[in-house]
Each structure stands twice: as structure tokens, then as C-alpha cells.
Amino acid sequence: MAQESAHSGIVVGVDGSPESNAAVAWAARAAAMRGARLTLIHALTDPSAAAWLDVPVPADYWPPDYWGVQRAKAADLLADATRIASQALPDPSTITVEQELTAGGAVAPLVEWSKAAEMVVVGCRGRGGLQKILLGSVSSGLVHRAHCPVAVIHDEAALKDRSADAPVVVGIDGSPASEHAVEVAFGEASRRELELVALHTWLESSDDFIGAGWPNVQARADEILAERLAGWQERYPDVVVRRVVKMDNPIHQLLELSKSAQLLVVGSHGRGGIAGLILGSVSSAVVQRVQIPVIVARRP
């Protein structure tokens, strides 16, 4: 488990769904950019969980060698995932791929691995997920509980027509969580050699805004955003930054910018968020609705 490895690199949850397969391919490319190890994790479901369902189950419902059959299926699934990871890279030898099989739910082992991982990657929904409505239980559990950044990946259809030089977008509100998001976003933009679009919205709702004072407010907002970025621009001189300040709801602006981006980075909670307990309202809405890969910049 995670305690046995001081540096677990990139960890990805695998269940064979289309979103999971997209997550594996994305994670393989992320690992190659870092020169990091890629660990594929699949969780076997305990059949005893059926006892919690209010449905009669015959005594002989589970085959005598249930776990043997499930392990064989899991081995095939992990082998398929390994092939997907290899096919995602021009040179598969640039990364080391490892496989991990666990029993029980998928969230707990991925949370445990996140204590040592650089990033955990999951599909937005797994098998049985409600299409276009909610995050799956695994992705939702991780963005609330992980100890490192969590990348949530939809299928790759949204990126097929996206330019290879489409930027990375980060939302900044001045909170400690958004400061960590800035750190993650600069790293991702640098590795990908992409422009970074840094968004700051002055108000949660434009309904509260008195229009006559907007020029002064915007000038101060520009100044605040420049201050937030200054140290990181010195650390990453290779990253071209485009600053965007808007008088608008941050959710609306992040979703709009995501339409021409290839990666979105948000903090785990914003101003007033309860650290380690809930996902901020902006981050939660964005992760639920955005169609491109999004990194929730969680940290211990």
C-alpha cells in the first residue's frame, strides 16, 4: 500500500468503464511528463455487500469460486488498462506501470494511496454512473477526501477538436486553497508548454454589484491577481500567463473558459470553505459540469 512507497507517482483507479479508460490514458501521459511511476488500482467488490440490499438472494447465488472468478476478471481488466496506458504514449518505456488489486470499496484504498501519491486520477463516473448528472461515488469521494491533487477525467470526446496548444485554466480567489491550485496549474502548464489563463472574478454574484464603481474595482482586482501570480511567474519564467478579471459568477466564467481549454485547475475549497470536510461550492459545481479534465488541488 501507500506506506510501502515513499513516492507513488501517479495513481489511477481502474474499473473498465469508458471514463476509466480515458483516465488511464490521461494518467499515463501525466506520468510520462513527470518521469513518474504509474500505478493502476482496481477494487474487487465484496459479495457480502448484497446482504445490505432488501432483495432475497438464493443461498447458491454466489459460485463456489467467486473470488477466483473475480480475480481472473480483474487480471484481464488490469491487463487491458496497461495496454491502454502503453498505447497513450509514443514510447511506453518512458514510464513504469504497476498493478494493484484490492478488496472492498474503491474509495478507501485510493484515499490511502493519495497520502504518498503525486496525483490520483479517476474517471468522472464508473460503471453504473448516471450520465450527465452526478459524479460517480469514487470520484466524488476522492475530491472530498484525498490527500493530494485529484484529476477527474471525462471521456476524451470533448478534447478531440481542441487545439494542441489550448491553455490550462486556473481559478483564483485569494484563499490558501486557490494558492495551491496556482502552484499545480503552473506546474501543469510548464510541463505541457502551454499558456496559463488565470481567472479572478471580483464578486460571487453580479446582482450585488454597483456598476458605477466598476473601473476602480477592476483596477484593484487586476492588482490583486498580479500579486497572487508574481512569485509563481518568477519560479516558472517559461509559462506565458494571461490574466482575466471579470465581474461575474466564477462558475459561469470557469465553464466558459473551459470551452477553449484542455485542462482546468480549481482549489478544493474557496473563501470560507471548511478545510478537509467539504468541497467548495465553485469547485463542486465546476467538477460536476465541466467536460474537460479538471484537477482539484487537494493537499494534506
Side-chain angles (χ1 to χ4, degrees):
M1 296 298 293
Q3 298 93 329
E4 299 174 1
S5 302
H7 305 285
S8 293
I10 305 295
V11 173
V12 57
V14 175
D15 69 8
S17 65
E19 291 81 3
S20 168
N21 292 341
V24 169
W26 191 93
R29 292 189 288 269
M33 290 176 193
R34 293 165 170 78
R37 178 174 56 188
L38 177 65
T39 302
L40 311 174
I41 298 182
H42 176 68
L44 293 175
T45 304
D46 187 344
S48 64
W52 295 95
L53 302 176
D54 189 20
V55 177
V57 178
D60 60 351
Y61 181 82
W62 302 108
D65 189 22
Y66 175 85
W67 284 115
V69 171
Q70 294 306 308
R71 287 192 183 93
K73 291 181 178 179
D76 290 341
L77 189 150
L78 287 169
D80 287 341
T82 300
R83 283 192 288 272
I84 291 170
S86 296
Q87 292 167 359
L89 301 173
D91 182 4
S93 67
T94 55
I95 62 170
T96 298
V97 180
E98 297 185 356
Q99 301 176 357
E100 183 77 14
L101 188 60
T102 66
V107 175
L110 286 170
V111 169
E112 184 66 21
W113 273 80
S114 76
K115 294 177 180 178
E118 186 171 347
M119 182 182 295
V120 175
V121 183
V122 288
C124 61
R125 292 176 297 272
R127 294 192 176 279
L130 299 176
Q131 295 294 314
K132 298 182 180 178
I133 300 178
L134 299 172
L135 287 181
S137 59
V138 175
S139 52
S140 179
L142 282 168
V143 296
H144 285 81
R145 296 170 52 192
H147 299 272
C148 69
V150 177
V152 180
I153 313 300
H154 295 252
D155 64 46
E156 296 189 305
L159 294 178
K160 285 184 177 178
D161 298 325
R162 203 63 51 94
S163 169
D165 59 359
V168 174
V169 173
V170 61
I172 301 174
D173 66 9
S175 67
S178 79
E179 180 72 10
H180 187 46
V182 173
E183 177 183 5
V184 171
F186 265 95
E188 295 297 330
S190 178
R191 294 183 192 97
R192 291 169 166 76
E193 300 181 347
L194 296 175
E195 177 188 43
L196 176 62
V197 177
L199 170 71
H200 175 62
T201 58
W202 183 250
L203 298 172
E204 293 296 320
S205 171
S206 60
D207 294 338
D208 299 328
F209 177 70
I210 300 175
W214 170 237
N216 292 334
V217 169
Q218 184 176 28
R220 177 55 182 155
D222 285 332
E223 181 181 341
I224 291 172
L225 183 55
E227 291 171 355
R228 294 284 185 268
L229 295 171
W232 295 108
Q233 287 183 288
E234 292 176 5
R235 183 173 175 179
Y236 291 94
D238 59 311
V239 176
V240 175
V241 179
R242 174 160 54 96
R243 301 198 298 265
V244 177
V245 176
K246 294 286 186 178
M247 180 197 69
D248 196 4
N249 183 294
I251 298 170
H252 175 257
Q253 281 299 315
L254 287 168
L255 292 176
E256 282 298 307
L257 288 172
S258 76
K259 294 177 181 178
S260 58
Q262 61 178 274
L263 177 64
L264 182 61
V265 183
V266 293
S268 57
H269 46 271
R271 293 185 294 260
I274 303 174
L277 180 60
I278 62 174
L279 193 66
S281 59
V282 173
S283 302
S284 180
V286 169
V287 174
Q288 294 270 10
R289 295 162 60 185
V290 75
Q291 295 300 305
I292 63 171
V294 55
I295 298 177
V296 178
R298 290 196 61 83
R299 58 182 175 181

